[in-house]
Amino acid sequence: MSQNRDGFTSTFGVLVATLGSAVGLGNIWKFPYLTGTNGGASFLVVYLLATLLVALPVMMTEIMLGRASRANAVTAFEKLAPKNQKFWTVIGYMGLVSAILILAFYTGVAGWVFAYIFKSLSGSIHSTDPATAKAAFDAMVSNPMQALFWQWVVLGGAGVIIMLGVSKGIEAVAKKLMPLLFLLLVLLCIRSLTLPGAMAGVEFLFAPDFSKITAPVVLTAVGLAFFKLSIGMGTMLTYGSYFRQEQNIPATATRVMLADLSVSMLAGLAIFPAVFAFGFEPSAGPSLVFMTIPAVFASMPLGNVFMAIFFVLAAIAATGAILSILEVPVAMMSERFGFSRKLATLISVGIIGLFGVPAMLSSSLTADWKLFGLNAFDLFDFISSNILLPLGGILICLFVGWVYGLPQLKKQLSNEGQLNNGLLINAVFVLVRYVTPIIITVIMLRGLGLF
Ligand code: PHE
């Protein structure tokens, strides 16, 4: 099968496509809003620790499992686990569930971004006034037809791109536009940081108040670290399966992590100074970015034009991430059930669209549909980020640490001895065998209030 699989065509292409999966609404939308609702700087500290100690080793090993098996997330464990241990394929199936739950709300938020492109051009969100910004956002999300229409535009578009295939579709889109997004974020930061009263936002982001750290906050930080690096559900495994044999996996993972982190930090520095300068609420939740970013643009010359460009780039970043998530069910269905990529895409998009309805109507028709006090939008997010991804992470660690083993890990991560990174591999092994799974387990039990 492996010789027929499509794959990335250059080392740089691999880096950019992986980055295209990692950088998305997680950086621009979720990171700022969760930092805002969970206490600012102290949350950032926990998030950084979670990324280094928990997420990075999982990322390296997950990519490695993909490249070693050259298969989708279910088949990978079938190939790599001993014959009598097929239960490891559960990791792949959990990933399938995560992919559907995440896309049910993620494509909707991407839809909001698309809608905001047009709103920027029409001037209707050109304001620094918190009440006006909130009214504009609420009007959009509480209108059922608007919310669903944009989600379907996004889902349809992503489906078409996926049908074109891996290297052509994903690489081409991701390669060109990431640097531009980066530049525009830098511009936003400069404007935001030079607003009168901006320093209160900097303080919020960098002066930690550790009393704000609770068990659920820590679990949220871990979940965010997984979500942002696209790990724990087979996305990175699937991408790893398209990696070139000579790609340096630990180096690629580290670079992607650092780049992903810098985009988030830029987003934080673009948003929080403005939040305090204009009197927004840092704990506004999912609406935070959609209210604050327009305010920053409204306070610079040619704001409407730059704002439209910003939302176009954010939409493209979101699309890169969406494509990587969609690739999980599509690769799985086409390789395991022999469906054509086209049929697999259509089925996936259909199921996601179905789950998307209650998620996107959470501010209107289905606002009262609640489970554990969460509406469908928040519930899908909670189950995927705070339960399924960390659980997937634990299982990946246990598989690599106790079943796959050090000799194989060494062989894979050193590219059969060509890379001189033995020390690093030993450290990764100790982490995934003992440290990371224990940390995640404790955090999950405490964060979910089970212990
Ligand atoms: N990492 C992406 C983002 O930050 C989202 C994502 C989650 C992508 C899970 C793939 C898998 O936007």
Side-chain angles (χ1 to χ4, degrees):
M1 189 200 292
S2 59
Q3 59 273 37
N4 298 334
R5 299 183 96 239
D6 204 348
F8 295 125
T9 49
S10 70
T11 305
F12 181 66
V14 172
L15 186 67
V16 178
T18 313
L19 205 55
S21 166
V23 175
L25 296 174
N27 305 64
I28 300 167
W29 164 74
K30 202 173 182 192
F31 170 82
Y33 107 64
L34 285 181
T35 305
T37 46
N38 288 288
S42 48
F43 179 78
L44 187 59
V45 172
V46 181
Y47 167 76
L48 285 174
L49 287 174
T51 298
L52 285 178
L53 287 177
V54 177
L56 190 58
V58 175
M59 186 175 189
M60 291 177 188
T61 45
E62 187 178 329
I63 293 176
M64 181 276 294
L65 291 173
R67 195 185 62 182
S69 63
R70 296 269 175 225
N72 65 76
V74 171
T75 312
F77 291 98
E78 224 167 50
K79 279 187 171 174
L80 299 177
K83 289 250 166 323
N84 57 349
Q85 295 193 18
K86 292 298 173 238
F87 53 82
W88 292 105
T89 53
V90 73
I91 300 174
Y93 291 114
M94 275 168 38
L96 192 63
V97 178
S98 304
I100 291 167
L101 292 180
I102 291 176
L103 283 179
F105 69 87
Y106 199 99
T107 51
V109 179
W112 299 344
V113 173
F114 275 91
Y116 265 58
I117 299 173
F118 295 93
K119 290 184 200 291
S120 327
L121 291 174
S122 76
S124 66
I125 47 174
H126 196 82
S127 160
T128 58
D129 170 41
T132 314
K134 185 165 175 2
F137 180 81
D138 287 347
M140 174 183 69
V141 295
S142 61
N143 179 334
M145 280 337 280
Q146 250 201 67
L148 287 180
F149 169 77
W150 286 109
Q151 175 168 45
W152 289 343
V153 168
V154 171
L155 262 176
V160 170
I161 299 177
I162 273 278
M163 285 184 205
L164 299 178
V166 178
S167 53
K168 283 179 244 83
I170 301 177
E171 251 181 81
V173 179
K175 222 179 223 166
K176 302 197 180 88
L177 292 148
M178 288 289 141
L180 219 53
L181 178 65
F182 202 81
L183 277 183
L184 210 55
L185 275 172
V186 172
L187 187 73
L188 268 178
C189 282
I190 295 173
R191 174 67 279 210
S192 190
L193 284 166
T194 50
L195 289 166
M199 275 311 126
V202 177
E203 210 165 287
F204 180 78
L205 206 51
F206 294 115
D209 167 2
F210 289 108
S211 69
K212 292 191 175 147
I213 298 177
T214 61
V217 167
V218 177
L219 178 58
T220 303
V222 170
L224 179 64
F226 273 81
F227 184 88
K228 278 193 50 213
L229 291 179
S230 316
I231 54 176
M233 55 168 282
T235 305
M236 280 299 157
L237 191 153
T238 309
Y239 266 40
S241 76
Y242 306 121
F243 263 46
R244 287 146 54 92
Q245 208 55 46
E246 63 273 28
Q247 190 88 14
N248 183 340
I249 293 178
T252 306
T254 309
R255 279 192 202 129
V256 169
M257 183 277 285
L258 288 175
D260 180 79
L261 189 63
S262 24
V263 175
S264 300
M265 292 313 300
L266 284 180
L269 280 173
I271 288 166
F272 286 106
V275 164
F276 287 86
F278 294 127
F280 286 95
E281 206 42 73
S283 60
S287 60
L288 182 71
V289 175
F290 292 93
M291 301 193 300
T292 322
I293 294 276
V296 184
F297 280 115
S299 50
M300 67 168 85
L302 287 179
N304 277 0
V305 180
F306 281 121
M307 178 154 48
I309 298 175
F310 174 84
F311 282 116
V312 168
L313 295 171
I316 291 165
T319 308
I322 290 170
L323 296 176
S324 74
I325 310 179
L326 251 185
E327 187 62 27
V328 173
V330 170
M332 214 179 277
M333 276 188 229
S334 54
E335 291 178 16
R336 288 192 69 82
F337 309 136
F339 293 175
S340 66
R341 275 185 76 85
K342 212 179 212 160
L343 181 63
T345 307
L346 283 176
I347 296 176
S348 310
V349 165
I351 297 175
I352 294 158
L354 226 55
F355 277 84
V357 174
M360 293 331 287
L361 300 186
S362 290
S363 301
S364 54
L365 303 177
T366 62
D368 300 330
W369 296 16
K370 288 198 171 160
L371 203 62
F372 309 116
L374 299 173
N375 62 33
F377 185 100
D378 295 330
L379 186 71
F380 293 170
D381 185 10
F382 187 88
I383 296 179
S384 51
S385 282
N386 292 12
I387 299 178
L388 290 174
L389 301 189
L391 201 57
I394 295 178
L395 293 174
I396 288 172
C397 286
L398 293 179
F399 179 77
V400 173
W402 298 88
V403 179
Y404 196 69
L406 184 59
Q408 281 297 325
L409 186 74
K410 274 217 161 108
K411 188 169 153 223
Q412 284 295 332
L413 289 187
S414 71
N415 294 354
E416 316 237 347
Q418 284 183 17
L419 303 172
N420 187 8
N421 56 0
L423 219 60
L424 176 94
I425 299 175
N426 283 331
V428 169
F429 185 70
V430 172
L431 279 176
V432 299
R433 188 169 158 104
Y434 306 104
V435 184
T436 310
I438 294 176
I439 297 182
I440 310 177
T441 306
V442 172
I443 290 174
M444 276 190 80
L445 290 175
R446 305 251 5 217
L448 297 171
L450 300 174
F451 157 77

